[in-house]
Amino acid sequence: MCGIVGYIGTRQAAPILLDGLKKLEYRGYDSAGVAILNEGTITVEKTKGRLKNLYDMINGGKKLPGTVGIGHTRWATHGEPSDVNSHPHASESGRIAVVHNGIIENYMKLKDFLIGKGYTFISDTDTEVVAHLADYYYNGNLLETMVKIIHRVEGSYALGLVSSDHPDQLIAVRKDSPLIIGLGEGENFIASDIPAILKYTRNIYLIDDQEIALLTRDGVTLYNTYLEEVQKEVFTVDWDIAAAEKGGYEHFMFKEIMEEPQSVLNTVGPVLRQGLLKFDTIPDRISIVACGSAYHVGIVGKYVIEELTRIPVEVDIASEYRYRNPIITKDTLVVVISQSGETADTIAALREAKKQGAKIFGIVNVVGSSIARESDEVLYTLAGPEIAVATTKAYSTQLTAVYLLALSLKKAMGQLPPEDEKHYADELMRLPDLISEMIEQKEKIQYYASKFFNAKSVFFIGRGLDYALSLEGSLKLKEISYIHSEAYGAGELKHGTISLIEDGTLVIAVATQEKLFEKIVSNIREVKARGAVVLSVATEGCEMIEECSDGVLYIPKTDPLFAPSPAVTLLQLFAYYVASLKGCDIDKPRNLAKSVTVE
Ligand code: F6R
């Protein structure tokens, strides 16, 4: 979702802003713009479409002199993608310019109020109210103006603001939307995410909700809403910029799949070396809450945790959770899964659960993100930065995190004798090799992708863990290739959906769970009898599946609970090759954003 970059220093700001925005492209956007402060005047340049349009418009930034500025990539929420709706938005006086990520929920009320005060609106955005509100409250002091804005606006926001009256200041604040402050030498930065500024500094402040950052060239001071100074530790980024670059691969998604064996090893190794996670109390119930792919990990988690511990587990889509009046007690462990740690719905669900007394266990990839900070315990997935919009390596590490959670609970319950612990630990440590074996099969996967990339509609079917896996395989395929695809519990198909199967419909049957082989074979026969073409994903040695399928891709044998791990890599590669053959924009699929910071 929207990306923000701001700079104050001694170098020309515009090229630095463009460079930072480029690094935030992965978040998804449909327009871009910058506001540069120079010799007492703010110049705003913005345009619909790709960043390249803005780049050309301002000659790579050279056209705009000035050493202070703010930049933005917009993912439209209020108002269509257009030049006028693009950010930055300026006050009518031209004295103030602002960039915003989030949603101002009471913007209609504020708009009416400001119109009543004589302000004219030119865009359809919620953000424009902030520009006019800033102008309305401006009393010569940017900090005081910001406090007044915070008191009036409701919703979520990361804001960057400059004023022509203050050529030596850049001011920023956040609430429920990500924003970090970069600390340089004689220059300072704001950004929605670390890659945007990592080229310039590794030292950052992770500001909390409603903390205001006042940046000058020489330093950054943080304030609360009473304008008292807040002290904060400097967080040092320990990963390299190369981790957020393509490194010779054509797409981030492919590079990130290639990184899965290492990411899984990084996540599993330290926990196993320390003898699993410690739990002082055992929850009565577990509630897993997440969105999208992370939700699919939660479904795997339900099967695995219930199988290993017999603790009842429910799984919720975060956007539904808080509106269904969930039953939460202090003995409920709420497991929140998120790559970005900034997904608005997941944060809201976490807060709801916390309010009702639950203990929160976060499985998070981004260190210092909101979910990481607000959880009682965090298990970090060490996937490193994930840039492609469609998650791959983060999903794989989240899977291993739920395995670790399940085993840790089992051990804390006194149900994991040393020989069993060794068995599971050995199997977990094999996963990086099994994933590598999948990657080695990539030509074969590409071959099947080339056979089926013209499919109009695809059904993924599976039972048990294979159903959970089908959900992710299907999402991966549809989101990047735009082929309509659905996942069904294989036994459920005949309760309605089978009527959609006709000659040539592609069905992908997932069959990694040995105890269910015969059942899924029956389901394959059912769809074949109605004309479907079946590509199966099966565990090595399962000849029954081969006999009834039109093609089979095999995963190596492992403990059945861990089969989703190599199998998902296979499904990710299949989706990747299909999208590649269709010529899709794989890393930035249409309409999607990486970090969904609005409800
Ligand atoms: C799909 C995908 C999304 C995310 C979802 C949650 O490929 O990436 O479905 O899984 O938006 O995002 P996080 O994990 O950042 O909370």
Side-chain angles (χ1 to χ4, degrees):
M1 300 227 134
C2 305
I4 289 177
V5 188
Y7 175 79
I8 179 161
T10 49
R11 298 189 254 183
Q12 194 180 357
I16 293 175
L17 297 181
L18 285 174
D19 183 52
L21 292 177
K22 179 109 199 92
K23 300 278 179 352
L24 296 180
E25 270 192 306
Y26 73 89
R27 298 171 71 82
Y29 70 101
D30 39 54
S31 58
V34 292
I36 304 292
L37 213 166
N38 187 41
E39 294 179 355
T41 308
I42 295 175
T43 308
V44 177
E45 297 276 7
K46 52 188 189 174
T47 178
K48 184 182 154 184
R50 288 291 182 206
L51 197 56
K52 174 89 177 59
N53 302 354
L54 177 68
Y55 188 94
D56 291 345
M57 215 165 117
I58 59 174
N59 190 17
K62 291 193 198 92
K63 193 181 138 192
L64 297 177
T67 57
V68 184
I70 46 180
H72 192 265
T73 43
R74 172 174 186 254
W75 191 85
T77 55
H78 294 65
E80 57 167 8
S82 68
D83 293 352
V84 71
N85 286 336
S86 313
H87 299 209
H89 289 280
S91 62
E92 264 173 87
S93 60
R95 176 166 68 179
I96 284 167
V98 62
V99 285
H100 167 225
N101 173 20
I103 290 182
I104 308 294
E105 285 167 5
N106 60 339
Y107 86 102
M108 283 306 289
K109 222 163 98 188
L110 292 173
K111 194 167 174 174
D112 288 345
F113 166 77
L114 289 161
I115 289 171
K117 298 285 174 199
Y119 285 88
T120 309
F121 283 75
I122 54 171
S123 79
D124 306 317
T125 65
D126 51 337
T127 305
E128 197 182 350
V129 298
V130 181
H132 296 318
L133 207 56
D135 188 81
Y136 176 72
Y137 282 126
Y138 181 66
N139 62 354
N141 181 317
L142 283 188
L143 272 171
E144 288 172 14
T145 307
M146 194 55 112
V147 170
K148 292 209 171 105
I149 294 173
I150 294 172
H151 286 143
R152 284 307 295 265
V153 299
E154 288 163 18
S156 58
Y157 47 81
L159 292 170
L161 186 150
V162 289
S163 162
S164 50
D165 287 356
H166 299 273
D168 302 319
Q169 294 183 354
L170 164 60
I171 191 160
V173 67
R174 60 158 281 188
K175 179 179 165 277
D176 298 338
S177 285
L179 194 74
I180 53 154
I181 312 295
L183 309 168
E185 294 282 326
E187 57 185 5
N188 292 300
F189 307 81
I190 62 170
S192 297
D193 199 1
I194 295 168
I197 55 171
L198 196 54
K199 192 164 148 189
Y200 309 102
T201 181
R202 291 182 166 276
N203 296 332
I204 59 175
Y205 281 145
L206 299 165
I207 55 169
D208 285 308
D209 274 359
Q210 298 202 323
E211 274 174 6
I212 306 168
L214 184 66
L215 289 76
T216 63
R217 290 179 176 79
D218 302 325
V220 177
T221 316
L222 304 177
Y223 299 90
N224 62 21
T225 49
Y226 301 106
L227 291 185
E228 296 155 349
E229 267 190 53
V230 175
Q231 301 305 323
K232 187 139 294 231
E233 272 184 30
V234 175
F235 174 83
T236 307
V237 181
D238 61 3
W239 47 270
D240 217 282
I241 187 73
E245 286 178 347
K246 275 193 212 154
Y249 291 102
E250 197 180 342
H251 297 105
F252 276 111
M253 182 177 174
F254 191 75
K255 176 187 176 239
E256 287 161 4
I257 296 173
M258 298 301 114
E259 287 169 352
E260 283 179 7
Q262 190 61 48
S263 306
V264 165
L265 187 64
N266 292 347
T267 303
V268 170
V271 179
L272 290 181
R273 278 196 292 279
Q274 284 157 26
L276 294 170
L277 311 166
K278 308 285 174 274
F279 282 92
D280 298 334
T281 52
I282 302 301
D284 283 357
R285 290 186 319 130
I286 294 177
S287 189
I288 305 181
V289 189
C291 298
S293 295
Y295 166 74
H296 296 158
V297 171
I299 297 179
V300 174
K302 176 179 168 66
Y303 283 101
V304 174
I305 296 171
E306 288 188 343
E307 175 74 29
L308 289 177
T309 68
R310 309 310 295 157
I311 300 172
V313 181
E314 56 181 16
V315 194
D316 273 87
I317 296 169
S319 53
E320 292 292 322
Y321 183 72
R322 72 180 149 144
Y323 298 117
R324 77 162 172 89
N325 197 8
I327 300 166
I328 306 166
T329 70
K330 62 174 183 26
D331 299 319
T332 309
L333 180 68
V334 173
V335 178
V336 173
I337 307 175
S338 177
Q339 186 284 127
S340 62
E342 299 293 350
T343 301
D345 286 319
T346 313
I347 295 175
L350 177 158
R351 289 181 184 160
E352 178 62 34
K354 217 171 170 177
K355 205 166 73 194
Q356 295 196 36
K359 189 169 173 205
I360 312 292
F361 184 91
I363 295 177
V364 185
N365 195 42
V366 176
V367 177
S369 57
S370 301
I371 293 176
R373 283 188 277 168
E374 293 184 35
S375 298
D376 298 300
E377 300 278 342
V378 183
L379 173 55
Y380 279 110
T381 52
L382 299 177
E386 190 179 65
I387 306 296
V389 164
T391 183
T392 52
K393 62 174 177 170
Y395 177 97
S396 293
T397 54
Q398 287 164 352
L399 266 189
T400 49
V402 296
Y403 293 144
L404 290 169
L405 173 63
L407 290 170
S408 301
L409 285 166
K410 192 172 174 63
K411 187 171 178 184
M413 291 164 85
Q415 295 176 2
L416 194 64
E419 61 279 15
D420 288 4
E421 183 172 350
K422 182 169 179 333
H423 160 76
Y424 287 120
D426 289 350
E427 286 293 289
L428 278 177
M429 287 306 280
R430 268 183 75 215
L431 290 181
D433 289 340
L434 302 190
I435 296 170
S436 298
E437 280 183 42
M438 295 323 317
I439 291 173
E440 279 159 26
Q441 277 200 52
K442 57 183 182 309
E443 277 75 28
K444 197 165 170 203
I445 299 170
Q446 192 173 22
Y447 163 74
Y448 281 112
S450 71
K451 270 185 88 166
F452 297 124
F453 77 99
N454 279 322
K456 292 279 166 285
S457 189
V458 181
F459 291 89
F460 282 73
I461 58 170
R463 286 170 173 260
L465 275 172
D466 290 332
Y467 167 58
L469 197 53
S470 297
L471 289 166
E472 180 58 9
S474 171
L475 175 61
K476 213 77 323 179
L477 181 69
K478 69 182 137 194
E479 68 179 330
I480 61 168
S481 74
Y482 314 142
I483 296 176
H484 167 254
S485 165
E486 290 186 48
Y488 270 86
E492 180 66 11
L493 212 58
K494 57 179 145 332
H495 296 286
T497 313
I498 204 161
S499 64
L500 293 171
I501 306 288
E502 52 187 17
D503 268 354
T505 305
L506 177 61
V507 173
I508 299 187
V510 185
T512 70
Q513 301 296 303
E514 204 168 338
K515 63 176 188 209
L516 294 166
F517 281 166
E518 281 177 18
K519 300 284 170 205
I520 185 91
V521 164
S522 306
N523 299 126
I524 293 175
R525 293 199 198 286
E526 281 164 10
V527 292
K528 289 264 332 153
R530 284 147 185 95
V533 177
V534 176
L535 172 64
S536 292
V537 172
T539 305
E540 264 165 13
C542 173
E543 274 103 34
M544 281 190 258
I545 301 279
E546 183 137 9
E547 283 157 22
C548 59
S549 306
D550 298 281
V552 185
L553 287 161
Y554 285 108
I555 66 153
K557 270 208 162 120
T558 172
D559 186 296
L561 290 180
F562 300 154
S565 186
V568 81
T569 306
L570 187 161
L571 295 174
Q572 292 163 350
L573 281 167
F574 180 76
Y576 172 81
Y577 285 122
V578 168
S580 165
L581 287 157
K582 292 191 74 189
C584 298
D585 190 353
I586 292 182
D587 285 338
K588 297 189 280 288
R590 70 183 177 214
N591 304 336
L592 291 180
K594 180 69 181 163
S595 177
V596 184
T597 51
V598 296
E599 190 180 337

